[in-house]
Amino acid sequence: MRYCINCCIHLLPNDLHRQCFRCRGPDHNNQNCPVCRGENKIPLYTYGKQMKWLAVLEVRTDHCESWNGLFCLRKGKLCSLMFGLIIMTLVMVSYILTGAKHGLLLIPSPFHYGAFASNPSLMDNESLSDMKDHYQPSKMNISYVKDYPSIKLIIDTITSKIEFITRQRPDLEELRKQEPHMFSVIPNKFLPNSKNPCWYEEYRGNTTTDPYATNSYALYSRRFRIIFDYLRKVFWNHLYHYKDKHYRLRCLPHFYIIGQPKCGTTDLYDRLRLHPDVRFSAIKEPHWWTRKRFGIIRLRDGFHDRYPVEDYLDLFDLAAHQIQSVLQSDAGKERGKRNDIIIGEASASTMWDNNAWIFFYDNSTEGEPPFLIQDFIHAFQPNAKLIIMLRDPVERLYSDYLYFASANKSAEDFHEKVAESLQLFEGCVLDYSLRACVYNNTLNNAMPVRLQVGLYVVYLLDWLTVFNKDQILVLRLEDHASNMRYTMHMVFQFLDLGPLSEKQEALITKSPASNTRRPEDRSLGPMLPTTKAILRDFYRPFNTKLAQVLFDDAFLWKRT
């Protein structure tokens, strides 16, 4: 098939097309050509037959003499071009507005910190995304610059602002004013000669009363309902009856595994569960002290109803039932066997997550939280034991990224997120104290990766303001992985657990590792060498201080 779009000549199969404007040359006169003047519209013919009317294509040309025919566009093409430009503009505007709202712009918008909001009521009325408006754009955008010297300048600025200042510990009366209900439920004295802080509480229900009807853990999570269904069935059998009254045994944990995430806490928890004298909460990570008691399920989803302390205590009913059984047996009373059972809790957020304080407690003048999680735990359990598992913070951050990132994961993407997070952190420490930045909810939510979780020494020093050093056991994941038997013996000794048989010990120490890296994440390979060098520089002063506090150079992580 042959045809001419330019001059609209009606072509037949044998037409040599000599009358085409382009074929004849410049002598052709558009004004004298009826076709070019637009007086006729000639349908195309293919192979000598006229096309069906639904397939007829009418074509005309309008040669714009003012442009000498060089830039003429037919109306159809022009409309298509304009329509395409409009659609592309709308898509870009929508993307920019959506990206700005959720922090997803391809060209990031780092924030330089302005003032911390000092009005808690204002903060309560703002959404988490709106709080980013408190920041002003930074002068320097290096999020996509993989240039080590440039980013090193930011790290040097952060390092110059590091000061480890001892915090002022709040007194007991201040804590009571903040959490009056909690102090009304948990007594200040517990059963004597018991490792666990346990006490009897009068139960005013009857046999038809559901003791867990209002438990928030059971209401908001289907996977916990099976546990509570079992507890309902056995609840009445474990009550203590005395003088026509019914009492239930309530307990808090004897020890806490408080951190850090992606440092092997799940593996430690799974191995300790195998010890015959150790009982844990019905849920591995209740996150009650850090999140649920404030009504936080996921911080990005806002706040729900606060979980009362009674809901938290319900999680230890399984362990309390076993302790109660020993208390009611004559043999148990003679041997004091109740002391053999200890209760643990393993929320990896307990050590570091104080993000909710700004919504519930009055802000301090320096932007630092007036109360921390450890203040309340110590108020009720001054003898509690704490276990911390740490790893090289550089590797921890990459593992954290691989675990929590949902899409587009790569070493390059990780590098970009690290660079942006460093810039945000720098913007904060230029104006505020290290502690104010580490515990700042808005900063922590703005950073694409959780740099602050690896600042171990900042959190540890704050825990040491309320707990003695001999109440805290700090382990390294690297040691746990290379010599598990040794680290587990350290834990057993720290918790005053009795000796185990060889079979029991083999079961605990030779079980496969828990919560290892997923195969699809392993395929992404290691982080970029430049990223590793940047993070080594960033964490170095914090690791140095940690090694000094613990008197152990292994926490410098020089060989990893």
Side-chain angles (χ1 to χ4, degrees):
M1 179 177 69
R2 297 179 298 110
Y3 56 90
C4 178
I5 281 184
N6 295 305
C7 57
C8 306
I9 297 299
H10 177 192
L11 299 181
L12 295 176
N14 297 324
D15 196 338
L16 296 178
H17 192 41
R18 299 180 185 217
Q19 313 214 357
C20 177
F21 166 73
R22 294 183 178 237
C23 297
R24 291 185 58 193
D27 295 333
H28 179 79
N29 191 325
N30 290 346
Q31 296 298 324
N32 296 330
C33 178
V35 176
C36 295
R37 285 203 311 266
E39 295 177 1
N40 295 304
K41 297 179 181 179
I42 305 173
L44 298 179
Y45 280 75
T46 60
Y47 299 101
K49 297 182 180 180
Q50 187 174 3
M51 298 170 64
K52 294 182 181 180
W53 69 274
L54 286 175
V56 170
L57 175 64
E58 294 183 346
V59 203
R60 62 178 292 183
T61 60
D62 291 314
H63 297 288
C64 301
E65 298 201 5
S66 61
W67 292 88
N68 296 324
L70 295 177
F71 300 103
C72 290
L73 292 174
R74 288 177 301 283
K75 292 181 180 179
K77 286 190 175 182
L78 182 60
C79 292
S80 299
L81 178 61
M82 294 301 295
F83 182 74
L85 289 173
I86 292 171
I87 293 298
M88 185 170 63
T89 302
L90 291 174
V91 170
M92 289 299 296
V93 169
S94 174
Y95 174 76
I96 291 171
L97 291 177
T98 304
K101 181 178 180 182
H102 298 288
L104 300 174
L105 290 176
L106 286 178
I107 301 176
S109 304
F111 303 101
H112 185 79
Y113 280 75
F116 280 80
S118 60
N119 187 344
S121 63
L122 173 64
M123 297 301 288
D124 286 342
N125 293 327
E126 291 180 329
S127 68
L128 295 176
S129 60
D130 292 338
M131 285 190 287
K132 292 183 181 180
D133 296 335
H134 289 292
Y135 302 149
Q136 300 299 323
S138 177
K139 296 180 180 179
M140 180 178 178
N141 181 0
I142 52 88
S143 184
Y144 270 61
V145 180
K146 300 173 182 178
D147 181 5
Y148 176 80
S150 299
I151 303 177
K152 183 67 165 61
L153 294 176
I154 290 178
I155 296 174
D156 291 343
T157 301
I158 294 172
T159 302
S160 68
K161 296 293 182 179
I162 294 175
E163 288 186 277
F164 300 103
I165 302 173
T166 304
R167 67 183 287 261
Q168 186 67 34
R169 175 178 166 181
D171 59 43
L172 187 60
E173 287 306 312
E174 291 178 299
L175 298 175
R176 288 182 184 274
K177 291 177 183 178
Q178 298 299 324
E179 299 288 351
H181 177 69
M182 199 191 309
F183 279 89
S184 69
V185 173
I186 302 176
N188 55 11
K189 291 185 179 181
F190 305 111
L191 294 177
N193 301 322
S194 174
K195 288 185 177 180
N196 305 286
C198 297
W199 68 97
Y200 280 109
E201 174 185 281
E202 184 178 355
Y203 180 69
R204 302 180 185 279
N206 53 44
T207 54
T208 61
T209 304
D210 181 1
Y212 306 107
T214 60
N215 187 286
S216 300
Y217 286 100
L219 293 175
Y220 290 127
S221 180
R222 292 182 180 178
R223 63 193 179 104
F224 299 148
R225 291 175 188 172
I226 297 176
I227 297 172
F228 285 102
D229 285 342
Y230 171 78
L231 288 172
R232 289 185 186 96
K233 294 177 182 178
V234 301
F235 178 80
W236 193 259
N237 296 331
H238 292 280
L239 291 179
Y240 175 62
H241 308 283
Y242 180 74
K243 292 184 178 180
D244 298 327
K245 291 185 178 181
H246 310 296
Y247 297 89
R248 65 189 296 187
L249 188 67
R250 289 292 209 178
C251 294
L252 282 168
H254 170 66
F255 71 95
Y256 295 85
I257 300 176
I258 63 174
Q260 290 285 64
K262 309 313 298 174
C263 289
T265 56
T266 299
D267 187 76
L268 179 62
Y269 162 83
D270 285 338
R271 295 183 192 282
L272 271 176
R273 285 175 60 198
L274 300 175
H275 195 286
D277 293 334
V278 175
R279 304 292 183 272
F280 276 96
S281 55
I283 300 166
K284 189 243 172 187
E285 291 188 284
H287 296 296
W288 185 80
W289 290 102
T290 55
R291 300 169 187 171
K292 300 299 191 298
R293 71 186 178 102
F294 299 109
I296 299 172
I297 297 178
R298 294 181 183 87
L299 194 56
R300 63 178 180 270
D301 296 335
F303 293 92
H304 299 259
D305 293 335
R306 299 182 69 174
Y307 288 33
V309 65
E310 291 88 346
D311 291 1
Y312 181 60
L313 295 174
D314 287 345
L315 301 180
F316 304 102
D317 277 1
L318 282 172
H321 290 171
Q322 296 184 41
I323 295 173
Q324 175 66 16
S325 298
V326 175
L327 291 174
Q328 290 180 338
S329 66
D330 292 336
K333 290 179 182 178
E334 291 176 2
R335 295 194 302 268
K337 194 174 182 179
R338 57 180 170 158
N339 290 327
D340 292 341
I341 297 176
I342 61 172
I343 303 174
E345 198 252 76
S347 297
S349 64
T350 307
M351 180 178 180
W352 65 274
D353 191 350
N354 281 274
N355 285 328
W357 72 268
I358 198 168
F359 300 103
F360 294 92
Y361 304 137
D362 291 336
N363 198 357
S364 67
T365 56
E366 300 297 328
E368 297 185 7
F371 311 104
L372 296 176
I373 301 304
Q374 51 266 39
D375 298 329
F376 293 97
I377 294 178
H378 183 268
F380 300 114
Q381 301 175 250
N383 298 319
K385 293 196 172 185
L386 311 167
I387 300 176
I388 301 171
M389 182 83 86
L390 304 177
R391 73 188 288 189
D392 181 355
V394 175
E395 298 298 335
R396 193 220 70 81
L397 186 65
Y398 190 51
S399 178
D400 196 70
Y401 163 79
L402 293 177
Y403 186 82
F404 289 106
S406 57
N408 302 320
K409 290 186 285 189
S410 67
E412 292 76 14
D413 180 67
F414 176 66
H415 178 95
E416 293 157 2
K417 286 179 166 56
V418 167
E420 184 179 350
S421 299
L422 285 169
Q423 189 176 8
L424 289 167
F425 197 80
E426 177 206 25
C428 182
V429 297
L430 285 173
D431 298 322
Y432 297 94
S433 70
L434 177 62
R435 183 178 292 107
C437 295
V438 166
Y439 291 125
N440 182 263
N441 165 66
T442 313
L443 169 64
N444 294 339
N445 281 281
M447 289 194 296
V449 290
R450 302 193 295 182
L451 283 174
Q452 79 282 5
V453 178
L455 306 181
Y456 307 138
V457 70
V458 178
Y459 305 110
L460 179 60
L461 289 173
D462 284 347
W463 281 84
L464 287 172
T465 61
V466 290
F467 285 97
N468 295 326
K469 204 169 184 178
D470 59 2
Q471 293 178 258
I472 303 176
L473 175 65
V474 184
L475 303 171
R476 295 194 330 147
L477 176 61
E478 293 83 359
D479 300 330
H480 181 66
S482 63
N483 194 344
M484 193 172 299
R485 186 172 182 271
Y486 174 74
T487 57
M488 293 309 299
H489 274 235
M490 289 181 63
V491 174
F492 297 155
Q493 183 178 359
F494 176 71
L495 297 177
D496 297 322
L497 292 169
L500 296 171
S501 65
E502 290 186 7
K503 184 177 180 180
Q504 289 174 322
E505 185 174 302
L507 177 65
I508 293 173
T509 58
K510 295 183 180 180
S511 300
S514 301
N515 201 22
T516 56
R517 185 169 295 178
R518 295 170 294 209
E520 60 269 25
D521 291 337
R522 289 198 206 103
S523 65
L524 296 175
M527 71 183 82
L528 299 175
T530 303
T531 316
K532 180 174 284 190
I534 289 167
L535 290 172
R536 287 252 178 268
D537 289 341
F538 172 69
Y539 284 118
R540 184 174 292 112
F542 299 98
N543 293 343
T544 300
K545 181 65 174 180
L546 179 65
Q548 292 172 358
V549 172
L550 298 175
F551 301 102
D552 189 347
D553 286 345
F555 289 94
L556 293 171
W557 283 287
K558 287 184 175 181
R559 297 181 180 179
T560 57

